[in-house]
Amino acid sequence: MTTVRRAVPGDVDEVVARMRALGASLPPHDGVAVFNRVYLSVTEEVRRLISAGLFDDPYAAAELDVRFAGRYLTAVGAGTSPRRAPDCWRPLLQLRGHRGVRPLQFALAGINAHIGHDLALALVDTCRDLDREPATMERDFERIGDVLVAIEERVREDLMPGPDLLDIADPLTHLVGAWSLERARDAAWAASRLLWSLRHTGEVYRECVDRLDAGVGLVGRFLLTPLAGR
């Protein structure tokens, strides 16, 4: 894994502004642009929930959201080459213009990278910086996960081909059916707890982070398998 230097946004409003600017700078069918539209919807909904006071710890939830988004924005920002990005984001950056990859694949690959890798590390960063234990943030972590699941369901509905183009034999049916955001969210929570327990171990901690990054990247490559008949 190659570590990229992160410029953490100042607050959730800045996250939204940076995502909108990124989306405006990309062609609509670019793979990163497809995921960015999904993630912008998630962030706007989280911002609404924070403003409505629906998190147990609104300040910590906002900090988690900012650190979470900061990892994504750094990984895919202007000037970031696939070789410098974390392993989990490289498949999307490398295949973002591939005509054999369908929009739903781009969206799910981005969700996989962001949930599988970035969420666990963002939670550890937040707990360390705010002097909190992960267990104290579990309910708010689940609330953010619930938003992601709801958005993912809508994405699948919006980006899956219509019934005239999709049947049980379509490879896309099998590919997207093999991945679950809920399982990825559960794995991210388990990974965050493990990393938290190892946070003072130096080399062991870094090795676990690298293995997590590589494993999530491998899943991303499968999700982005080019399919015929785009």
Side-chain angles (χ1 to χ4, degrees), residues 122-164:
L123 183 60
V124 171
D125 289 345
T126 301
C127 289
R128 181 188 291 118
D129 292 346
L130 299 185
D131 194 23
R132 285 165 169 77
E133 292 288 327
T136 67
M137 295 189 62
E138 184 172 6
R139 281 164 55 91
D140 286 342
F141 180 95
E142 290 296 328
R143 285 188 177 89
I144 291 175
D146 290 343
V147 173
L148 290 161
V149 170
I151 297 293
E152 187 224 12
E153 291 174 353
R154 191 172 74 202
V155 166
R156 287 178 183 260
E157 292 174 359
D158 291 347
L159 296 183
M160 284 289 276
D164 56 328

mmCIF file of all heavy atoms in Angstrom, residues 122-164:
data_model
loop_
_atom_site.group_PDB
_atom_site.id
_atom_site.type_symbol
_atom_site.label_atom_id
_atom_site.label_comp_id
_atom_site.label_asym_id
_atom_site.label_seq_id
_atom_site.Cartn_x
_atom_site.Cartn_y
_atom_site.Cartn_z
ATOM 1 N N ALA A 122 -11.370 5.586 9.632
ATOM 2 C CA ALA A 122 -11.937 6.859 10.062
ATOM 3 C C ALA A 122 -12.478 6.769 11.481
ATOM 4 O O ALA A 122 -12.359 7.718 12.272
ATOM 5 C CB ALA A 122 -13.049 7.290 9.103
ATOM 6 N N LEU A 123 -13.070 5.638 11.822
ATOM 7 C CA LEU A 123 -13.573 5.471 13.187
ATOM 8 C C LEU A 123 -12.426 5.445 14.192
ATOM 9 O O LEU A 123 -12.499 6.075 15.250
ATOM 10 C CB LEU A 123 -14.396 4.190 13.288
ATOM 11 C CG LEU A 123 -15.039 3.927 14.650
ATOM 12 C CD1 LEU A 123 -15.995 5.052 15.035
ATOM 13 C CD2 LEU A 123 -15.761 2.585 14.668
ATOM 14 N N VAL A 124 -11.348 4.748 13.858
ATOM 15 C CA VAL A 124 -10.185 4.724 14.748
ATOM 16 C C VAL A 124 -9.608 6.124 14.900
ATOM 17 O O VAL A 124 -9.290 6.564 16.019
ATOM 18 C CB VAL A 124 -9.116 3.751 14.207
ATOM 19 C CG1 VAL A 124 -7.806 3.882 14.997
ATOM 20 C CG2 VAL A 124 -9.614 2.315 14.280
ATOM 21 N N ASP A 125 -9.492 6.856 13.798
ATOM 22 C CA ASP A 125 -8.978 8.227 13.859
ATOM 23 C C ASP A 125 -9.854 9.103 14.751
ATOM 24 O O ASP A 125 -9.358 9.892 15.561
ATOM 25 C CB ASP A 125 -8.926 8.844 12.456
ATOM 26 C CG ASP A 125 -7.847 8.244 11.576
ATOM 27 O OD1 ASP A 125 -6.947 7.565 12.114
ATOM 28 O OD2 ASP A 125 -7.911 8.455 10.354
ATOM 29 N N THR A 126 -11.171 8.975 14.589
ATOM 30 C CA THR A 126 -12.099 9.797 15.365
ATOM 31 C C THR A 126 -12.003 9.484 16.847
ATOM 32 O O THR A 126 -11.949 10.401 17.691
ATOM 33 C CB THR A 126 -13.542 9.572 14.873
ATOM 34 O OG1 THR A 126 -13.624 9.910 13.476
ATOM 35 C CG2 THR A 126 -14.533 10.427 15.645
ATOM 36 N N CYS A 127 -11.991 8.207 17.177
ATOM 37 C CA CYS A 127 -11.906 7.818 18.591
ATOM 38 C C CYS A 127 -10.585 8.272 19.211
ATOM 39 O O CYS A 127 -10.561 8.742 20.357
ATOM 40 C CB CYS A 127 -12.066 6.304 18.717
ATOM 41 S SG CYS A 127 -13.736 5.717 18.378
ATOM 42 N N ARG A 128 -9.516 8.148 18.465
ATOM 43 C CA ARG A 128 -8.220 8.581 18.987
ATOM 44 C C ARG A 128 -8.212 10.090 19.224
ATOM 45 O O ARG A 128 -7.788 10.569 20.288
ATOM 46 C CB ARG A 128 -7.109 8.195 18.009
ATOM 47 C CG ARG A 128 -5.712 8.585 18.496
ATOM 48 C CD ARG A 128 -4.668 8.367 17.421
ATOM 49 N NE ARG A 128 -4.455 6.961 17.148
ATOM 50 C CZ ARG A 128 -4.681 6.377 15.972
ATOM 51 N NH1 ARG A 128 -5.175 7.102 14.967
ATOM 52 N NH2 ARG A 128 -4.451 5.107 15.794
ATOM 53 N N ASP A 129 -8.684 10.849 18.252
ATOM 54 C CA ASP A 129 -8.617 12.302 18.352
ATOM 55 C C ASP A 129 -9.585 12.875 19.387
ATOM 56 O O ASP A 129 -9.306 13.919 20.001
ATOM 57 C CB ASP A 129 -8.891 12.941 16.988
ATOM 58 C CG ASP A 129 -7.777 12.656 15.976
ATOM 59 O OD1 ASP A 129 -6.698 12.198 16.402
ATOM 60 O OD2 ASP A 129 -8.001 12.876 14.773
ATOM 61 N N LEU A 130 -10.728 12.209 19.576
ATOM 62 C CA LEU A 130 -11.730 12.709 20.520
ATOM 63 C C LEU A 130 -11.668 11.987 21.860
ATOM 64 O O LEU A 130 -12.502 12.259 22.737
ATOM 65 C CB LEU A 130 -13.135 12.560 19.924
ATOM 66 C CG LEU A 130 -13.414 13.309 18.620
ATOM 67 C CD1 LEU A 130 -14.882 13.161 18.234
ATOM 68 C CD2 LEU A 130 -13.025 14.775 18.726
ATOM 69 N N ASP A 131 -10.720 11.096 22.016
ATOM 70 C CA ASP A 131 -10.542 10.341 23.266
ATOM 71 C C ASP A 131 -11.822 9.598 23.640
ATOM 72 O O ASP A 131 -12.324 9.698 24.755
ATOM 73 C CB ASP A 131 -10.119 11.282 24.411
ATOM 74 C CG ASP A 131 -9.600 10.513 25.626
ATOM 75 O OD1 ASP A 131 -9.159 9.358 25.450
ATOM 76 O OD2 ASP A 131 -9.658 11.059 26.743
ATOM 77 N N ARG A 132 -12.332 8.834 22.680
ATOM 78 C CA ARG A 132 -13.514 8.010 22.896
ATOM 79 C C ARG A 132 -13.187 6.556 22.588
ATOM 80 O O ARG A 132 -12.321 6.278 21.760
ATOM 81 C CB ARG A 132 -14.679 8.471 22.017
ATOM 82 C CG ARG A 132 -15.356 9.759 22.492
ATOM 83 C CD ARG A 132 -16.218 10.317 21.382
ATOM 84 N NE ARG A 132 -17.099 11.383 21.807
ATOM 85 C CZ ARG A 132 -16.749 12.624 22.029
ATOM 86 N NH1 ARG A 132 -15.464 12.970 21.920
ATOM 87 N NH2 ARG A 132 -17.631 13.545 22.370
ATOM 88 N N GLU A 133 -13.919 5.653 23.197
ATOM 89 C CA GLU A 133 -13.824 4.238 22.866
ATOM 90 C C GLU A 133 -14.791 3.941 21.722
ATOM 91 O O GLU A 133 -15.892 4.520 21.670
ATOM 92 C CB GLU A 133 -14.182 3.377 24.077
ATOM 93 C CG GLU A 133 -13.181 3.442 25.212
ATOM 94 C CD GLU A 133 -11.886 2.711 24.874
ATOM 95 O OE1 GLU A 133 -11.938 1.703 24.148
ATOM 96 O OE2 GLU A 133 -10.825 3.164 25.340
ATOM 97 N N PRO A 134 -14.431 3.036 20.797
ATOM 98 C CA PRO A 134 -15.354 2.705 19.702
ATOM 99 C C PRO A 134 -16.746 2.302 20.175
ATOM 100 O O PRO A 134 -17.742 2.644 19.532
ATOM 101 C CB PRO A 134 -14.644 1.548 18.991
ATOM 102 C CG PRO A 134 -13.192 1.794 19.242
ATOM 103 C CD PRO A 134 -13.121 2.358 20.635
ATOM 104 N N ALA A 135 -16.824 1.601 21.307
ATOM 105 C CA ALA A 135 -18.128 1.145 21.796
ATOM 106 C C ALA A 135 -19.088 2.302 22.063
ATOM 107 O O ALA A 135 -20.301 2.154 21.920
ATOM 108 C CB ALA A 135 -17.950 0.313 23.060
ATOM 109 N N THR A 136 -18.551 3.464 22.434
ATOM 110 C CA THR A 136 -19.415 4.610 22.717
ATOM 111 C C THR A 136 -20.025 5.193 21.441
ATOM 112 O O THR A 136 -20.979 5.961 21.513
ATOM 113 C CB THR A 136 -18.639 5.720 23.450
ATOM 114 O OG1 THR A 136 -17.640 6.273 22.568
ATOM 115 C CG2 THR A 136 -17.980 5.187 24.707
ATOM 116 N N MET A 137 -19.459 4.823 20.291
ATOM 117 C CA MET A 137 -19.953 5.351 19.021
ATOM 118 C C MET A 137 -20.700 4.306 18.200
ATOM 119 O O MET A 137 -21.071 4.570 17.057
ATOM 120 C CB MET A 137 -18.771 5.906 18.198
ATOM 121 C CG MET A 137 -18.103 7.103 18.830
ATOM 122 S SD MET A 137 -16.911 7.884 17.718
ATOM 123 C CE MET A 137 -17.966 8.394 16.355
ATOM 124 N N GLU A 138 -20.944 3.147 18.788
ATOM 125 C CA GLU A 138 -21.539 2.065 18.008
ATOM 126 C C GLU A 138 -22.920 2.427 17.463
ATOM 127 O O GLU A 138 -23.231 2.150 16.301
ATOM 128 C CB GLU A 138 -21.629 0.790 18.847
ATOM 129 C CG GLU A 138 -22.154 -0.403 18.050
ATOM 130 C CD GLU A 138 -22.071 -1.712 18.817
ATOM 131 O OE1 GLU A 138 -21.704 -1.677 20.020
ATOM 132 O OE2 GLU A 138 -22.368 -2.756 18.225
ATOM 133 N N ARG A 139 -23.769 3.037 18.287
ATOM 134 C CA ARG A 139 -25.112 3.377 17.806
ATOM 135 C C ARG A 139 -25.067 4.388 16.664
ATOM 136 O O ARG A 139 -25.808 4.260 15.667
ATOM 137 C CB ARG A 139 -25.958 3.921 18.965
ATOM 138 C CG ARG A 139 -26.506 2.822 19.880
ATOM 139 C CD ARG A 139 -26.998 3.396 21.198
ATOM 140 N NE ARG A 139 -27.980 4.443 21.013
ATOM 141 C CZ ARG A 139 -29.308 4.246 20.952
ATOM 142 N NH1 ARG A 139 -29.780 3.012 21.042
ATOM 143 N NH2 ARG A 139 -30.133 5.260 20.812
ATOM 144 N N ASP A 140 -24.205 5.377 16.754
ATOM 145 C CA ASP A 140 -24.090 6.354 15.671
ATOM 146 C C ASP A 140 -23.443 5.741 14.435
ATOM 147 O O ASP A 140 -23.795 6.085 13.301
ATOM 148 C CB ASP A 140 -23.299 7.567 16.147
ATOM 149 C CG ASP A 140 -24.112 8.448 17.095
ATOM 150 O OD1 ASP A 140 -25.361 8.316 17.108
ATOM 151 O OD2 ASP A 140 -23.514 9.253 17.827
ATOM 152 N N PHE A 141 -22.498 4.840 14.639
ATOM 153 C CA PHE A 141 -21.913 4.086 13.525
ATOM 154 C C PHE A 141 -23.008 3.326 12.783
ATOM 155 O O PHE A 141 -23.061 3.326 11.545
ATOM 156 C CB PHE A 141 -20.867 3.120 14.075
ATOM 157 C CG PHE A 141 -20.177 2.263 13.041
ATOM 158 C CD1 PHE A 141 -18.958 2.653 12.502
ATOM 159 C CD2 PHE A 141 -20.736 1.063 12.628
ATOM 160 C CE1 PHE A 141 -18.313 1.851 11.557
ATOM 161 C CE2 PHE A 141 -20.101 0.268 11.679
ATOM 162 C CZ PHE A 141 -18.884 0.666 11.147
ATOM 163 N N GLU A 142 -23.912 2.693 13.531
ATOM 164 C CA GLU A 142 -25.002 1.944 12.914
ATOM 165 C C GLU A 142 -25.955 2.873 12.173
ATOM 166 O O GLU A 142 -26.476 2.515 11.102
ATOM 167 C CB GLU A 142 -25.757 1.156 13.981
ATOM 168 C CG GLU A 142 -24.981 -0.006 14.564
ATOM 169 C CD GLU A 142 -24.679 -1.079 13.533
ATOM 170 O OE1 GLU A 142 -25.499 -1.260 12.612
ATOM 171 O OE2 GLU A 142 -23.617 -1.728 13.642
ATOM 172 N N ARG A 143 -26.194 4.067 12.720
ATOM 173 C CA ARG A 143 -27.086 5.014 12.040
ATOM 174 C C ARG A 143 -26.507 5.429 10.689
ATOM 175 O O ARG A 143 -27.217 5.518 9.689
ATOM 176 C CB ARG A 143 -27.329 6.242 12.915
ATOM 177 C CG ARG A 143 -28.291 5.991 14.072
ATOM 178 C CD ARG A 143 -28.644 7.280 14.797
ATOM 179 N NE ARG A 143 -29.617 7.033 15.859
ATOM 180 C CZ ARG A 143 -29.305 6.722 17.097
ATOM 181 N NH1 ARG A 143 -28.028 6.638 17.452
ATOM 182 N NH2 ARG A 143 -30.244 6.504 18.007
ATOM 183 N N ILE A 144 -25.210 5.711 10.651
ATOM 184 C CA ILE A 144 -24.570 6.049 9.378
ATOM 185 C C ILE A 144 -24.649 4.862 8.432
ATOM 186 O O ILE A 144 -24.924 5.008 7.236
ATOM 187 C CB ILE A 144 -23.109 6.478 9.607
ATOM 188 C CG1 ILE A 144 -23.073 7.823 10.343
ATOM 189 C CG2 ILE A 144 -22.352 6.576 8.278
ATOM 190 C CD1 ILE A 144 -21.678 8.284 10.730
ATOM 191 N N GLY A 145 -24.452 3.655 8.973
ATOM 192 C CA GLY A 145 -24.566 2.450 8.149
ATOM 193 C C GLY A 145 -25.958 2.268 7.586
ATOM 194 O O GLY A 145 -26.120 1.833 6.439
ATOM 195 N N ASP A 146 -26.981 2.608 8.371
ATOM 196 C CA ASP A 146 -28.358 2.500 7.892
ATOM 197 C C ASP A 146 -28.607 3.434 6.707
ATOM 198 O O ASP A 146 -29.324 3.080 5.758
ATOM 199 C CB ASP A 146 -29.343 2.816 9.017
ATOM 200 C CG ASP A 146 -29.380 1.738 10.093
ATOM 201 O OD1 ASP A 146 -28.902 0.623 9.831
ATOM 202 O OD2 ASP A 146 -29.870 2.045 11.201
ATOM 203 N N VAL A 147 -28.020 4.628 6.765
ATOM 204 C CA VAL A 147 -28.141 5.563 5.635
ATOM 205 C C VAL A 147 -27.497 4.957 4.396
ATOM 206 O O VAL A 147 -28.066 4.996 3.295
ATOM 207 C CB VAL A 147 -27.491 6.914 5.969
ATOM 208 C CG1 VAL A 147 -27.461 7.817 4.732
ATOM 209 C CG2 VAL A 147 -28.232 7.603 7.103
ATOM 210 N N LEU A 148 -26.325 4.379 4.562
ATOM 211 C CA LEU A 148 -25.619 3.769 3.438
ATOM 212 C C LEU A 148 -26.424 2.633 2.827
ATOM 213 O O LEU A 148 -26.511 2.500 1.600
ATOM 214 C CB LEU A 148 -24.255 3.263 3.900
ATOM 215 C CG LEU A 148 -23.226 4.338 4.232
ATOM 216 C CD1 LEU A 148 -22.113 3.771 5.095
ATOM 217 C CD2 LEU A 148 -22.652 4.932 2.952
ATOM 218 N N VAL A 149 -27.023 1.792 3.662
ATOM 219 C CA VAL A 149 -27.818 0.675 3.161
ATOM 220 C C VAL A 149 -29.018 1.177 2.366
ATOM 221 O O VAL A 149 -29.329 0.664 1.283
ATOM 222 C CB VAL A 149 -28.276 -0.224 4.328
ATOM 223 C CG1 VAL A 149 -29.313 -1.242 3.844
ATOM 224 C CG2 VAL A 149 -27.087 -0.967 4.932
ATOM 225 N N ALA A 150 -29.689 2.205 2.875
ATOM 226 C CA ALA A 150 -30.850 2.756 2.181
ATOM 227 C C ALA A 150 -30.457 3.339 0.828
ATOM 228 O O ALA A 150 -31.159 3.132 -0.178
ATOM 229 C CB ALA A 150 -31.524 3.825 3.043
ATOM 230 N N ILE A 151 -29.330 4.044 0.796
ATOM 231 C CA ILE A 151 -28.866 4.621 -0.464
ATOM 232 C C ILE A 151 -28.467 3.523 -1.437
ATOM 233 O O ILE A 151 -28.759 3.591 -2.635
ATOM 234 C CB ILE A 151 -27.678 5.579 -0.222
ATOM 235 C CG1 ILE A 151 -28.117 6.774 0.644
ATOM 236 C CG2 ILE A 151 -27.089 6.048 -1.547
ATOM 237 C CD1 ILE A 151 -29.085 7.708 -0.014
ATOM 238 N N GLU A 152 -27.804 2.477 -0.917
ATOM 239 C CA GLU A 152 -27.378 1.381 -1.794
ATOM 240 C C GLU A 152 -28.575 0.709 -2.438
ATOM 241 O O GLU A 152 -28.547 0.365 -3.626
ATOM 242 C CB GLU A 152 -26.573 0.359 -0.995
ATOM 243 C CG GLU A 152 -25.957 -0.728 -1.873
ATOM 244 C CD GLU A 152 -26.113 -2.124 -1.306
ATOM 245 O OE1 GLU A 152 -26.882 -2.306 -0.344
ATOM 246 O OE2 GLU A 152 -25.490 -3.047 -1.848
ATOM 247 N N GLU A 153 -29.642 0.520 -1.681
ATOM 248 C CA GLU A 153 -30.842 -0.094 -2.243
ATOM 249 C C GLU A 153 -31.399 0.760 -3.381
ATOM 250 O O GLU A 153 -31.816 0.243 -4.419
ATOM 251 C CB GLU A 153 -31.894 -0.280 -1.147
ATOM 252 C CG GLU A 153 -31.507 -1.349 -0.120
ATOM 253 C CD GLU A 153 -32.474 -1.421 1.036
ATOM 254 O OE1 GLU A 153 -33.384 -0.551 1.112
ATOM 255 O OE2 GLU A 153 -32.331 -2.332 1.874
ATOM 256 N N ARG A 154 -31.387 2.074 -3.174
ATOM 257 C CA ARG A 154 -31.881 2.970 -4.221
ATOM 258 C C ARG A 154 -30.971 2.939 -5.448
ATOM 259 O O ARG A 154 -31.438 2.968 -6.590
ATOM 260 C CB ARG A 154 -31.974 4.396 -3.670
ATOM 261 C CG ARG A 154 -32.719 5.346 -4.593
ATOM 262 C CD ARG A 154 -32.940 6.672 -3.907
ATOM 263 N NE ARG A 154 -31.701 7.445 -3.842
ATOM 264 C CZ ARG A 154 -31.492 8.411 -2.970
ATOM 265 N NH1 ARG A 154 -32.400 8.702 -2.062
ATOM 266 N NH2 ARG A 154 -30.360 9.090 -2.985
ATOM 267 N N VAL A 155 -29.653 2.851 -5.198
ATOM 268 C CA VAL A 155 -28.696 2.794 -6.299
ATOM 269 C C VAL A 155 -28.914 1.544 -7.141
ATOM 270 O O VAL A 155 -28.902 1.586 -8.368
ATOM 271 C CB VAL A 155 -27.254 2.823 -5.750
ATOM 272 C CG1 VAL A 155 -26.249 2.429 -6.820
ATOM 273 C CG2 VAL A 155 -26.928 4.213 -5.227
ATOM 274 N N ARG A 156 -29.111 0.414 -6.466
ATOM 275 C CA ARG A 156 -29.355 -0.820 -7.206
ATOM 276 C C ARG A 156 -30.605 -0.693 -8.073
ATOM 277 O O ARG A 156 -30.644 -1.159 -9.218
ATOM 278 C CB ARG A 156 -29.488 -1.998 -6.243
ATOM 279 C CG ARG A 156 -28.165 -2.453 -5.612
ATOM 280 C CD ARG A 156 -28.394 -3.597 -4.636
ATOM 281 N NE ARG A 156 -27.172 -4.007 -3.957
ATOM 282 C CZ ARG A 156 -26.439 -5.061 -4.288
ATOM 283 N NH1 ARG A 156 -26.777 -5.796 -5.323
ATOM 284 N NH2 ARG A 156 -25.351 -5.376 -3.604
ATOM 285 N N GLU A 157 -31.651 -0.074 -7.534
ATOM 286 C CA GLU A 157 -32.887 0.108 -8.292
ATOM 287 C C GLU A 157 -32.675 1.041 -9.479
ATOM 288 O O GLU A 157 -33.180 0.794 -10.576
ATOM 289 C CB GLU A 157 -33.980 0.656 -7.383
ATOM 290 C CG GLU A 157 -34.446 -0.321 -6.312
ATOM 291 C CD GLU A 157 -35.432 0.315 -5.350
ATOM 292 O OE1 GLU A 157 -35.729 1.522 -5.526
ATOM 293 O OE2 GLU A 157 -35.910 -0.385 -4.440
ATOM 294 N N ASP A 158 -31.911 2.116 -9.261
ATOM 295 C CA ASP A 158 -31.729 3.118 -10.312
ATOM 296 C C ASP A 158 -30.782 2.659 -11.412
ATOM 297 O O ASP A 158 -30.961 3.019 -12.588
ATOM 298 C CB ASP A 158 -31.188 4.423 -9.707
ATOM 299 C CG ASP A 158 -32.210 5.130 -8.834
ATOM 300 O OD1 ASP A 158 -33.402 4.749 -8.894
ATOM 301 O OD2 ASP A 158 -31.817 6.055 -8.099
ATOM 302 N N LEU A 159 -29.743 1.905 -11.050
ATOM 303 C CA LEU A 159 -28.688 1.584 -12.010
ATOM 304 C C LEU A 159 -28.765 0.178 -12.600
ATOM 305 O O LEU A 159 -28.056 -0.116 -13.556
ATOM 306 C CB LEU A 159 -27.311 1.772 -11.361
ATOM 307 C CG LEU A 159 -26.962 3.204 -10.938
ATOM 308 C CD1 LEU A 159 -25.547 3.265 -10.376
ATOM 309 C CD2 LEU A 159 -27.095 4.171 -12.110
ATOM 310 N N MET A 160 -29.598 -0.678 -12.031
ATOM 311 C CA MET A 160 -29.766 -1.994 -12.652
ATOM 312 C C MET A 160 -30.518 -1.828 -13.961
ATOM 313 O O MET A 160 -31.475 -1.035 -14.040
ATOM 314 C CB MET A 160 -30.544 -2.933 -11.729
ATOM 315 C CG MET A 160 -29.728 -3.488 -10.575
ATOM 316 S SD MET A 160 -28.475 -4.696 -11.079
ATOM 317 C CE MET A 160 -29.469 -6.178 -11.133
ATOM 318 N N PRO A 161 -30.124 -2.551 -15.011
ATOM 319 C CA PRO A 161 -30.882 -2.486 -16.265
ATOM 320 C C PRO A 161 -32.320 -2.936 -16.049
ATOM 321 O O PRO A 161 -32.629 -3.662 -15.106
ATOM 322 C CB PRO A 161 -30.128 -3.474 -17.173
ATOM 323 C CG PRO A 161 -28.776 -3.625 -16.560
ATOM 324 C CD PRO A 161 -28.968 -3.443 -15.087
ATOM 325 N N GLY A 162 -33.194 -2.500 -16.956
ATOM 326 C CA GLY A 162 -34.594 -2.898 -16.852
ATOM 327 C C GLY A 162 -34.777 -4.378 -17.133
ATOM 328 O O GLY A 162 -33.864 -5.045 -17.621
ATOM 329 N N PRO A 163 -35.960 -4.905 -16.839
ATOM 330 C CA PRO A 163 -36.200 -6.339 -17.000
ATOM 331 C C PRO A 163 -36.036 -6.841 -18.419
ATOM 332 O O PRO A 163 -35.774 -8.015 -18.644
ATOM 333 C CB PRO A 163 -37.649 -6.511 -16.506
ATOM 334 C CG PRO A 163 -38.241 -5.144 -16.563
ATOM 335 C CD PRO A 163 -37.118 -4.193 -16.302
ATOM 336 N N ASP A 164 -36.173 -5.936 -19.398
ATOM 337 C CA ASP A 164 -35.995 -6.367 -20.780
ATOM 338 C C ASP A 164 -34.525 -6.599 -21.106
ATOM 339 O O ASP A 164 -34.200 -7.275 -22.084
ATOM 340 C CB ASP A 164 -36.568 -5.330 -21.745
ATOM 341 C CG ASP A 164 -35.981 -3.943 -21.544
ATOM 342 O OD1 ASP A 164 -35.642 -3.626 -20.391
ATOM 343 O OD2 ASP A 164 -35.864 -3.200 -22.532
#
